[in-house]
Amino acid sequence: MPGGRKPRYNPETVNQICELIAETGVDRIAYEGVGIAHTTFYAWMVDKEEFSAAVTAARAQYAAKLKQKAWDRVAAANEYIDDVLKRQCYRTTRQEVLDRKGRKVVLVKEEQIIPDSKLLDRVLGLSEGEINPSFRFEIGLATPDQSDDEP
C-alpha cells in the first residue's frame, strides 16, 4: 500500500511465521522475521484461534525434528559402542613426512580402540550404586590351559 502500512494479518504472514518457527523453534525469530512486534504476535495467539493452532503445529513440527535428531544421535552412538565392543573400531592418524630424497610420504597409523571400564559399565547397565568394588572386569588374551592338552 503506497504511503500506508501493509496489512499485517494475512495467510502469507501466518505461513512465514510458521515456517520460521518450524525451522528454528524460536518465536522471536519468527515475529521479527515478518516485521511484527512481540505484543502483536502474542495478541494473535490469544485472539486468533487459527493462528494459535498453526503456531502450535509449527512448534510440534520443530519438536518432532529435534526428537528425530536426538534418536539419530543415539543410534549413531550405539552403533559406535557396538563397533568398539566388537573391536571393529579404529582411530586413524595420517602424517606427512619427507623421505630421504625429499619427497612427501603419508604415514598412516591405525590404532584399535579398546573399550574402557566406563564404557563397559554404561553398556552393561551398571550404575554407581550397583558397582561391586570387588568385581573387576578385564579384557585380555587368554592363556591356553595346558592340563587339557595332556593325555
Side-chain angles (χ1 to χ4, degrees):
M1 298 179 143
R5 290 184 359 187
K6 294 180 186 177
R8 291 184 178 191
Y9 187 83
N10 58 51
E12 182 183 335
T13 302
V14 173
N15 286 338
Q16 288 175 339
I17 288 171
C18 290
E19 285 174 9
L20 287 168
I21 290 174
E23 184 179 321
T24 67
V26 182
D27 293 348
R28 182 177 181 173
I29 291 173
Y31 60 71
E32 286 181 354
V34 298
I36 63 170
H38 72 281
T39 52
T40 303
F41 176 86
Y42 293 108
W44 290 354
M45 287 293 290
V46 172
D47 298 338
K48 301 187 182 302
E49 211 172 290
E50 68 280 356
F51 179 75
S52 179
V55 168
T56 301
R59 289 173 178 164
Q61 186 179 354
Y62 179 75
K65 189 177 6 174
L66 283 183
K67 185 177 179 180
Q68 185 59 49
K69 280 185 181 179
W71 281 115
D72 290 347
R73 289 183 179 176
V74 167
N78 284 335
E79 187 176 318
Y80 173 77
I81 290 170
D82 288 345
D83 288 346
V84 169
L85 292 174
K86 293 175 188 172
R87 295 184 179 227
Q88 296 173 343
C89 197
Y90 297 89
R91 180 179 300 117
T92 304
T93 56
R94 299 177 191 282
Q95 181 182 10
E96 283 189 14
V97 295
L98 297 176
D99 66 5
R100 292 182 184 173
K101 295 183 180 180
R103 295 177 296 200
K104 284 186 181 180
V105 178
V106 178
L107 297 178
V108 178
K109 180 181 175 187
E110 200 169 72
E111 176 184 14
Q112 187 175 25
I113 297 175
I114 306 296
D116 69 354
S117 61
K118 290 181 183 178
L119 175 64
L120 293 171
D121 290 345
R122 180 175 165 208
V123 171
L124 295 174
L126 301 176
S127 66
E128 285 284 326
E130 297 173 353
I131 297 174
N132 181 348
S134 64
F135 176 77
R136 187 170 167 189
F137 189 88
E138 290 186 6
I139 296 177
L141 297 175
T143 56
D145 186 3
Q146 297 190 6
S147 62
D148 292 341
D149 295 337
E150 297 176 11

